[in-house]
């Protein structure tokens, strides 16, 4: 097998969220136990932007962008200067540390775009990279695509109270073994764990000791529940040139259809990201960039209400899963639940397919996030509350049917 | 210097089209000869979408996409199945060979996105790649970013009549030297040369002999002037699994602000491209994808009129440059002119900066397209006709001022 064949063989998307329609896995109907359990189909692989609609005014700002014409269609590769000005100021306030709109921020096609560009700007072939397990599946895949080598740091997310369960000694070992980069999401995807202030301070300190670069994906850092305290790594005692923070309005704000993300912080990394963006996609969609004017600028009370509704769904689903004695961490932020399934008589990947076939539910298998979480499933609970609760009950019923 | 530092050092964007605002080059005012020659500022680095506006109905299709909600925001990574169906059928008609909407087409964030994904799907570190010179600047940069090695094939675009000036023997030499991939644009960017039927047949035959993969960027293949005949490589006697064709509606159709492109052909390469898109940008902007419904579906006569207007500007600018005895090929397609400047008393890069400073004109230096064309400049003449002609006259006046 050539190196490029093996590279793409490793880069699977068959079980990635949203790709279920392309699943070519064999027929699982022969494994089916009992009759179908029908209900309103719920796709937990991503949030339902029909249940939680885009930020008010988003479409109107897009329309303004179209009407502005050429200057909005053809921005600098790093994005429109005036929009960068607005967003940089708001992100500085939010994160508690200054952001240079001139040199310290780039607008990208989605947070995914920001993550790829940031990682490709600091990871070369054979570089060692510390990656948290479990964490967003693309972290691992991007390292592999770039030819880097993963040094995993386990997250002990079940037994940790008031913290994520990050083991800074494992991070130190990864740095000792030669890692120069740490990539992690906070809040953690898929568990919804929020890193404690102590954990973030430890990461800042150890990364500083080793001169390591940290890429922190804060995509869900606005959707914080009532018991959560959030610490921004970039506002701690860190070398700002060694930290890149990634955010975007695709999730909490339901603006995924516009493909917008940002990366901010280290000027030399942002500069590299722009060079790379020039050959990867040129720029974030020009007219869409104007939609960022709504970001951190939502109508009064809108975000609080969105958080309240999500917290209520979180609590409903937690109750359903816990009554069924499924092991699941209570998320402090974001819209993911990551329950561990009991031992089943079918493989988890087949159980996930059976959920679609038999119970009108799509979830993402835990193997996407870590080799150690293959027995878990991820649910994005940004859904219609009634439909989501009914679907969670179907998952519970399916679990009991297939339990060994 | 680490490998990643040198990689990004090579990946310059300072002279890339659209980035002039970030140019940090020294003050060229001390080189200035004579007074400023003011006029309506013309940015020839890209087309003016205020002069040639987006396809009628584009915005309305976008609005339909927003109203469709979640199913339009979250498509498969390769793009919405129903939109792929529509586009595949039209591209099959246009190119004269079938396109599989299921497995043979991917929608990407811009043609740039398609080019990066296609090249990254077939080029690994140390692979040799045949690249035409001059050609679209990103071809070279993408190969370099992927760690590949460029084997150039020169285009003799000045002396060729009725053909592009492609030397198939040089291609054979590149394949003999180990290249397994050829990347080229047809119509050629920056010269506007269209490959003759004989040239395309020769490329098809030699690539077939060597089992090489061909990535052909046909971005401008709809904007053909009255003297042009166009031959689609994919409709010739080729192994379809070894050919990827790239197009998009960003140029002729002025839809760049929506960031849309497509790649079609080889199923195994399209499959790799989707895997890669999943970690690079997830998908082309969901709502924007709906704008593709206008593509190859424009109002009757709209495209013919757009071509007629561009042909008229081409002829005006050609006349102005030729009267000044500048060496310039007459483009058969697209909206680029690539005149060669006479020997100047300043470096071409400084002359380009002086054009901005002194003559209200932005152009792209020829060094972006080939090391052998550093004495040429590229103009995208998709501009207001009157402003473009006046700007071309200012370029001529500047040329005579700075001529040695």
């Amino acid at each position: 097998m050539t190196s490029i064949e093996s590279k793409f063989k490793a880069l699977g998307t068959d079980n990635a969220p949203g790709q279920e329609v392309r699943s070519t896995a064999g027929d699982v109907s022969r494994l089916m136990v009992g009759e179908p359990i029908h209900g309103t189909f719920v796709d937990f692989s991503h949030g339902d932007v029909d249940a939680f609609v885009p930020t008010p005014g988003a479409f109107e700002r897009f329309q303004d962008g179209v009407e502005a014409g050429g200057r909005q269609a053809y921005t600098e590769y790093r994005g429109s200067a005036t929009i960068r000005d607005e967003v940089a100021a708001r992100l500085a306030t939010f994160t508690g540390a200054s952001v240079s709109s001139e040199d310290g921020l780039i607008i990208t096609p989605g947070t995914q775009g920001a993550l790829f560009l940031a990682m490709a700007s600091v990871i070369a072939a054979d570089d060692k990279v510390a990656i948290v397990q479990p964490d967003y599946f693309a972290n691992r895949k991007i390292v592999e695509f770039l030819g880097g080598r993963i040094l995993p740091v386990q997250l002990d997310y079940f037994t940790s109270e008031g913290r994520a369960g990050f083991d800074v000694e494992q991070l130190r070992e990864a740095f000792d073994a030669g890692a120069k980069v740490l990539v992690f999401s906070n809040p953690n995807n898929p568990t919804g764990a929020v890193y404690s202030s102590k954990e973030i301070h430890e990461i800042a300190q150890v990364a500083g000791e080793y001169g390591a670069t940290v890429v922190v994906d804060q995509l869900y850092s606005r959707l914080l529940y009532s018991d959560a305290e959030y610490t921004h790594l970039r506002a701690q005692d860190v070398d700002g040139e060694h930290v890149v923070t990634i955010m975007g309005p695709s999730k909490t704000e339901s603006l995924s259809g516009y493909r917008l993300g940002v990366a901010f912080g280290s000027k030399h990394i942002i500069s590299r990201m722009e060079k790379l963006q020039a050959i990867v996609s040129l720029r974030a969609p020009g007219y869409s960039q104007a939609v960022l004017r709504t970001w951190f600028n939502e109508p009064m009370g809108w975000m609080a209400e969105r958080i309240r509704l999500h917290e209520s769904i979180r609590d409903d689903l937690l109750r359903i899963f816990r009554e069924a004695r499924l092991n699941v961490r209570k998320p402090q932020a974001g819209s993911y639940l990551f329950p561990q399934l009991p031992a089943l008589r079918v493989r988890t990947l087949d159980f996930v397919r059976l959920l679609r076939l038999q119970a009108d539910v799509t979830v993402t298998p835990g193997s996407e996030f870590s080799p150690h979480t293959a027995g878990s499933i991820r649910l994005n609970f940004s859904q219609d509350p009634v439909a989501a609760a009914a679907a969670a009950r179907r998952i519970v019923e399916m679990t009991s049917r297939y339990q060994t």
Side-chain angles (χ1 to χ4, degrees), chain A residues 112-145:
Chain A
Q112 184 72 52
L115 188 64
F116 177 80
L117 295 176
M119 292 177 70
S121 293
V122 296
I123 301 165
D126 299 323
D127 282 355
K128 292 170 182 157
V129 183
I131 293 277
V132 173
Q133 289 181 342
D135 209 328
Y136 181 49
F137 53 89
N139 297 2
R140 166 178 60 81
K141 291 178 184 179
I142 293 172
V143 175
E144 287 171 353
F145 177 76

Side-chain angles (χ1 to χ4, degrees), chain A residues 78 84 87-88 91 99-101 103-111 113-119 215-216 234 243-248 260-266 269-271 273-274 277 292 295:
Chain A
R78 64 178 62 201
R84 293 199 326 266
V87 171
L91 288 171
V99 176
S100 163
S101 64
D103 293 319
L105 184 140
I106 183 170
I107 303 173
T108 57
T111 305
L115 188 64
F116 177 80
L117 295 176
M119 292 177 70
V215 177
V216 53
R234 64 187 310 273
V243 176
V244 173
T245 304
I246 288 169
M247 287 192 68
L260 288 165
V262 297
F264 51 106
S266 166
I269 298 174
I270 300 295
S271 160
M273 289 174 69
E274 180 177 48
Q277 179 143 292
L292 284 174
W295 199 34

Side-chain angles (χ1 to χ4, degrees), chain A residues 59-226:
Chain A
F59 177 72
E60 289 72 17
R61 295 297 79 68
F62 183 92
Q63 184 166 18
D64 295 344
V66 172
E67 281 162 13
R71 69 191 161 78
Q72 190 65 52
Y74 285 89
T75 69
E76 285 174 64
Y77 298 150
R78 64 178 62 201
S80 152
T82 56
I83 293 168
R84 293 199 326 266
D85 281 346
E86 289 184 33
V87 171
R90 292 174 185 147
L91 288 171
T93 304
F94 177 67
T95 62
S98 69
V99 176
S100 163
S101 64
E102 175 64 15
D103 293 319
L105 184 140
I106 183 170
I107 303 173
T108 57
T111 305
Q112 184 72 52
L115 188 64
F116 177 80
L117 295 176
M119 292 177 70
S121 293
V122 296
I123 301 165
D126 299 323
D127 282 355
K128 292 170 182 157
V129 183
I131 293 277
V132 173
Q133 289 181 342
D135 209 328
Y136 181 49
F137 53 89
N139 297 2
R140 166 178 60 81
K141 291 178 184 179
I142 293 172
V143 175
E144 287 171 353
F145 177 76
L146 295 169
R149 284 192 280 159
I150 289 169
L151 301 183
V153 179
Q154 299 300 320
L155 200 67
D156 184 18
Y157 61 96
F158 275 128
T159 57
S160 49
E161 189 84 23
R163 60 193 185 92
F166 186 85
D167 181 354
V168 76
E169 287 313 311
Q170 281 187 45
L171 177 64
R172 191 180 285 279
E173 283 164 28
F175 287 154
D176 278 334
K180 285 280 178 224
V181 177
L182 165 68
V183 182
F184 76 108
S185 60
N186 181 25
N188 175 259
N189 175 348
T191 67
V194 170
Y195 287 66
S196 68
S197 168
K198 177 160 179 284
E199 286 173 314
I200 293 298
H201 285 130
E202 284 174 349
I203 290 171
Q205 189 194 318
V206 175
E209 250 177 67
Y210 287 83
T213 295
V214 185
V215 177
V216 53
D217 170 358
Q218 302 196 172
L219 181 54
Y220 271 109
S221 55
R222 298 186 76 189
L223 193 59
L224 293 183
Y225 299 126
S226 32

Side-chain angles (χ1 to χ4, degrees), chain A residues 139-360:
Chain A
N139 297 2
R140 166 178 60 81
K141 291 178 184 179
I142 293 172
V143 175
E144 287 171 353
F145 177 76
L146 295 169
R149 284 192 280 159
I150 289 169
L151 301 183
V153 179
Q154 299 300 320
L155 200 67
D156 184 18
Y157 61 96
F158 275 128
T159 57
S160 49
E161 189 84 23
R163 60 193 185 92
F166 186 85
D167 181 354
V168 76
E169 287 313 311
Q170 281 187 45
L171 177 64
R172 191 180 285 279
E173 283 164 28
F175 287 154
D176 278 334
K180 285 280 178 224
V181 177
L182 165 68
V183 182
F184 76 108
S185 60
N186 181 25
N188 175 259
N189 175 348
T191 67
V194 170
Y195 287 66
S196 68
S197 168
K198 177 160 179 284
E199 286 173 314
I200 293 298
H201 285 130
E202 284 174 349
I203 290 171
Q205 189 194 318
V206 175
E209 250 177 67
Y210 287 83
T213 295
V214 185
V215 177
V216 53
D217 170 358
Q218 302 196 172
L219 181 54
Y220 271 109
S221 55
R222 298 186 76 189
L223 193 59
L224 293 183
Y225 299 126
S226 32
D227 48 352
E229 276 181 55
Y230 193 90
T231 311
H232 292 276
L233 176 69
R234 64 187 310 273
Q236 310 313 311
D237 181 23
V238 289
D239 173 358
E241 278 301 295
H242 279 86
V243 176
V244 173
T245 304
I246 288 169
M247 287 192 68
S250 287
K251 301 293 188 184
T252 313
E253 303 83 352
S254 302
L255 297 173
S256 181
Y258 293 98
R259 286 285 77 206
L260 288 165
V262 297
F264 51 106
S266 166
K267 295 177 183 181
H268 85 275
I269 298 174
I270 300 295
S271 160
R272 286 182 181 178
M273 289 174 69
E274 180 177 48
K275 288 178 170 192
L276 191 50
Q277 179 143 292
I279 61 167
V280 167
S281 61
L282 276 186
R283 59 177 70 80
Y287 305 140
S288 286
Q289 291 179 36
V291 174
L292 284 174
R293 297 192 194 278
T294 65
W295 199 34
F296 288 94
N297 191 27
E298 296 84 5
M300 185 80 79
W302 183 87
M303 181 58 75
E305 175 66 1
R306 180 148 287 203
I307 292 171
R308 193 188 65 73
L309 292 169
H310 279 83
E311 187 157 346
S312 162
I313 303 172
R314 176 195 72 168
D315 292 342
D316 286 351
L317 268 54
L318 264 182
R319 194 177 315 113
I320 291 166
F321 288 137
R322 286 184 168 168
E323 278 172 12
R325 305 201 177 284
L326 293 187
N327 195 11
V328 56
R329 178 185 170 116
K330 178 180 179 179
Q332 281 71 57
S335 62
Y336 294 119
L337 276 173
F338 196 55
Q340 191 176 38
L341 302 173
L344 301 175
R345 66 173 88 169
V346 294
R347 297 180 318 144
T348 312
L349 287 178
D350 286 333
F351 183 72
V352 165
R353 291 184 186 109
L354 286 160
L355 283 174
R356 289 190 72 206
L357 179 73
Q358 191 174 1
D360 296 340

